[in-house]
Amino acid sequence: MKILKFILLAFLALFIIYDSKNHIKYYNIEIGELCLIKRTTGFPCPACGMTRAHIEALRLNFKKAFYYHPLFILPAIIFAVIILRNKSKIANYIYNNNYIIFAVLFIFIAVYIVRFVLLFPDKEPFTYNYDSNLYIILKFFKNIF
């Protein structure tokens, strides 16, 4: 358990010192390259913007965090429920209740669809990745035919 706490503190420190404007210079990883789905298909995944939302929340910029992903608090709640499921009756009830699990999944998918309709393809974080593997393959076949 102490190792898990240490890892969580290390990630927290990383997010706090993360510089979104200079991340490419320091880490040589573009935001679009972090998500396997976006890197492969070019389309944003349902969790797209979650990392940036958590970074902004840790900087206490909740308006921007909500913009990047309105459900950014959900992973923390799910994590707490999983950790506390054997220690708390409420967490155990939530963990074992399929209706709550399906409701959360439905909300997550509904928010994804709404964000996709409103933001795609030119507003962050729902931009299309033109360097994706799928786009490159489709462009290759288009040039052949």
Side-chain angles (χ1 to χ4, degrees):
M1 199 62 161
K2 288 182 181 182
I3 294 173
L4 180 62
K5 289 179 184 178
F6 176 75
I7 292 171
L8 290 174
L9 286 173
F11 277 115
L12 181 65
L14 175 68
F15 285 140
I16 290 172
I17 62 170
Y18 177 84
D19 184 358
S20 59
K21 293 180 179 69
N22 294 320
H23 71 276
I24 295 173
K25 182 171 68 172
Y26 293 120
Y27 304 112
N28 290 326
I29 300 173
E30 292 187 34
I31 291 287
E33 294 294 315
L34 293 175
C35 179
L36 183 62
I37 293 171
K38 192 168 186 176
R39 185 176 60 199
T40 304
T41 67
F43 295 102
C45 72
C48 201
M50 193 70 76
T51 302
R52 286 176 269 191
H54 284 108
I55 291 167
E56 293 301 330
L58 288 171
R59 292 180 175 168
L60 303 178
N61 189 351
F62 294 106
K63 184 177 178 182
K64 202 167 187 180
F66 187 79
Y67 170 78
Y68 280 129
H69 203 294
L71 302 176
F72 71 94
I73 196 71
L74 198 58
I77 294 170
I78 293 170
F79 184 72
V81 166
I82 291 170
I83 294 295
L84 299 173
R85 72 180 183 268
N86 294 328
K87 297 176 183 172
S88 168
K89 287 182 183 181
I90 295 172
N92 190 35
Y93 175 77
I94 292 170
Y95 183 79
N96 291 312
N97 190 324
N98 288 337
Y99 294 115
I100 294 174
I101 294 169
F102 285 121
V104 168
L105 287 174
F106 176 78
I107 290 168
F108 206 82
I109 291 168
V111 167
Y112 174 66
I113 291 169
V114 168
R115 293 175 75 214
F116 206 94
V117 169
L118 295 177
L119 300 176
F120 187 78
D122 57 354
K123 292 183 184 172
E124 282 294 332
F126 268 67
T127 55
Y128 184 78
N129 182 6
Y130 290 100
D131 295 326
S132 69
N133 299 336
L134 179 65
Y135 185 78
I136 291 169
I137 291 169
L138 291 175
K139 195 165 76 171
F140 173 76
F141 282 118
K142 181 183 173 189
N143 290 336
I144 289 176
F145 299 110

